[in-house]
Amino acid sequence: MAPNLLLLHVAANVRSQEWEQSMKIMCLNGWGGKLHEALLTYLAGTSPGILCLQEVIHSPASDKDWLTYRDGDHILKQRANLFRDVSAALPEHVAIFCPAAQGELWDDRTAIPSQWGLATFVHRSFPIIGQVQGFVHKDFSPVGYGAHPRSRSAHGVRVWDFDANRGVSITHMHGLRDLRGKMDTPERAKQAHKLLGMSRSITEPDDLTVICGDFNVEPDSETLSILGNAGLTELVTGRGYDSTRNSQYKKPGRFADYLLIDQEHAVRDFDVIYDPEVSDHCPLILEL
């Protein structure tokens, strides 16, 4: 065997052994791809078994790398086709995009239709045997992003873990953003119940259940109480982490992202990644 082919063969065997030994789940708000070079390098290097990614841009009518989001005085660059970019960085994954709304981004003075939502990427070694997609707040908005709090979607997959010989359901959402803050509201309670219902709809009795996402709430929120009362253990604050934000985030309130599991004994490792900075949110990584 030629030396280069031998190296590739060895690398493939190592990667195969890694997949057999554990399932790695990553949850991350991609910040619209603002730090896309660091983000794509990080994702390609870590190649999680399952990636739950929020704040994803998909602009099929444009081949531009960057477009501009405008909402009054709120103006920022957006990676025009972040879904395409991440799909290319993870070529061994099944990529699923779940839009919450279609609005306009701008190429100078030209309006470009662009979809905004979340995405799930599942490595081909984990067969998808169940799936659910829906809304936890409002419904799909086809004619603009809408007034705050805007439409919010959620997505769940049920996969088979051959190493552990069990089904695993993973459901994530991007919780609604209320301009008044992260306080409890009836809408947030309703979305927590909807998220829980979606998770339950694809989960079989012997499965391991994971729920995660950018919930946009504080650690003492009703949202986490609802999920906790359903038998889920929250790992971020439960394991002593004091933030899911990094130096890119300049506002008060250091929590947004959470990951919960119904069988904590199955956790091999859990971490909140502060370095490298690939967003203004920290990646949450669970190893089963």
Side-chain angles (χ1 to χ4, degrees), residues 50-255:
I50 295 153
L51 170 63
C52 299
L53 189 65
Q54 301 91 48
E55 207 166 308
V56 180
I57 313 300
H58 177 51
S59 307
S62 176
D63 60 0
K64 294 284 186 175
D65 289 333
W66 294 96
L67 294 171
T68 302
Y69 170 77
R70 299 173 185 166
D71 183 12
D73 294 334
H74 191 45
I75 299 173
L76 53 89
K77 289 289 187 182
Q78 298 277 278
R79 190 68 180 173
N81 282 291
L82 183 60
F83 179 62
R84 175 200 63 193
D85 297 342
V86 176
S87 298
L90 298 174
E92 296 296 308
H93 289 63
V94 175
I96 304 159
F97 177 66
C98 304
Q102 177 164 295
E104 293 178 339
L105 298 181
W106 294 86
D107 179 12
D108 194 13
R109 297 183 180 180
T110 302
I112 305 295
S114 182
Q115 296 168 25
W116 178 92
L118 48 79
T120 309
F121 301 83
V122 180
H123 191 272
R124 59 182 176 82
S125 62
F126 298 117
I128 299 171
I129 54 177
Q131 195 168 173
V132 61
Q133 177 182 354
F135 284 78
V136 292
H137 183 67
K138 296 183 176 177
D139 200 349
F140 180 69
S141 175
V143 290
Y145 299 125
H148 294 286
R150 291 171 169 166
S151 299
R152 296 292 170 139
S153 59
H155 183 238
V157 292
R158 181 175 183 244
V159 301
W160 190 259
D161 182 347
F162 286 102
D163 182 54
N165 193 32
R166 67 185 168 204
V168 181
S169 75
I170 306 103
T171 306
H172 69 118
M173 77 167 178
H174 189 180
L176 68 87
R177 175 173 176 253
D178 191 314
L179 297 180
R180 298 171 299 170
K182 295 181 178 179
M183 65 288 178
D184 290 335
T185 64
E187 292 80 12
R188 284 188 164 122
K190 185 176 180 180
Q191 80 173 356
H193 285 295
K194 284 188 173 182
L195 177 66
L196 183 60
M198 290 174 66
S199 171
R200 285 173 169 168
S201 74
I202 58 166
T203 303
E204 295 299 326
D206 293 330
D207 288 355
L208 188 151
T209 300
V210 175
I211 295 179
C212 59
D214 172 5
F215 291 177
N216 267 323
V217 297
E218 297 291 350
D220 61 352
S221 68
E222 184 182 9
T223 294
L224 293 179
S225 294
I226 290 168
L227 297 175
N229 290 337
L232 294 153
T233 299
E234 195 278 302
L235 297 182
V236 175
T237 59
R239 299 209 167 190
Y241 292 95
D242 59 7
S243 174
T244 62
R245 297 288 202 166
N246 54 38
S247 68
Q248 300 291 326
Y249 187 73
K250 309 301 182 183
K251 302 176 185 178
R254 308 303 298 176
F255 288 96

